[in-house]
Amino acid sequence: MKILIVVDMQNDFITGSLGTAEAVKIVDRVVEKMENFPGKVICTRDTHGENYLETSEGKKLPVEHCIRGTEGHRLCPQVDAAAEACGAQILDKVTFGSKELPKLVEELAGGAPESIELAGLCTDICVISNALLLKAFFPETPILVDASACAGVTPESHENALKAMAVCQIDIIQGE
């Protein structure tokens, strides 16, 4: 079983408080991947509470975002529709990498998956965190990141994250 993980394609990261032009540009590509993926799909959502600014992350990044129950926390409309159409599992995560993600992957695949592909936001924070976490849990499973369906905080940090993942034996693909 192949697994596609769509990381944090939420309104706040696309058009909201932490949105970027690069994030807007990948929405259609991510939806296309979801619609055509020959396996199971998981969508993660960055999830914070009203006390975000008091947390460790909030002290280092003092921009409220992805607060549970807000419009910014929701998947962007196109990704939300694709998630519903393909029966995607939604996983709320409270930090960059989710310790629940490998368990959900294993459950959906009925063991170690054939491959795991990641797409989404932000390449240099949550995509890299989850890719490395999954590589540690599934060392013999190919882990792929579609660079054409990811965006970072900046184009430079996106490229740096792709290079770092490649060194860690994560396969970087361009729109396959």
Side-chain angles (χ1 to χ4, degrees):
M1 167 76 53
K2 294 182 178 188
I3 303 287
L4 172 64
I5 299 170
V6 177
V7 179
D8 299 357
M9 290 295 292
Q10 295 162 268
N11 291 321
D12 271 348
F13 291 129
I14 299 169
T15 57
S17 59
L18 293 172
T20 65
E22 291 82 16
V24 171
K25 289 178 189 173
I26 69 163
V27 171
D28 290 342
R29 177 72 187 121
V30 171
V31 168
E32 177 187 338
K33 289 192 80 60
M34 293 173 74
E35 291 174 342
N36 297 304
F37 191 74
K40 302 274 185 181
V41 179
I42 299 169
C43 293
T44 69
R45 292 189 305 197
D46 193 39
T47 303
H48 301 293
E50 295 293 331
N51 69 333
Y52 172 75
L53 294 175
E54 300 165 22
T55 67
S56 176
E57 179 183 331
K59 290 175 184 171
K60 293 182 188 229
L61 177 64
V63 178
E64 287 188 338
H65 65 281
C66 300
I67 305 298
R68 184 183 301 279
T70 66
E71 189 61 27
H73 181 251
R74 294 177 56 89
L75 295 173
C76 77
Q78 303 92 315
V79 171
D80 191 43
E84 188 169 327
C86 73
Q89 297 283 318
I90 308 297
L91 177 66
D92 288 345
K93 58 184 188 56
V94 297
T95 189
F96 305 142
S98 172
K99 65 183 179 181
E100 288 82 24
L101 185 58
K103 296 174 201 169
L104 181 55
V105 166
E106 197 167 47
E107 179 183 306
L108 289 176
E114 179 183 338
S115 66
I116 303 169
E117 187 171 339
L118 292 95
L121 301 168
C122 294
T123 318
D124 45 338
I125 302 173
C126 292
V127 173
I128 192 172
S129 295
N130 285 292
L132 292 170
L133 188 129
L134 289 162
K135 188 65 177 172
F137 263 82
F138 303 106
E140 297 302 317
T141 298
I143 310 289
L144 305 94
V145 171
D146 185 344
S148 74
C150 290
V153 173
T154 68
E156 296 79 18
S157 62
H158 167 77
E159 288 300 323
N160 288 339
L162 294 173
K163 289 175 186 172
M165 287 185 280
V167 170
C168 293
Q169 301 177 2
I170 292 167
D171 297 319
I172 307 303
I173 60 174
Q174 293 288 341
E176 293 180 10

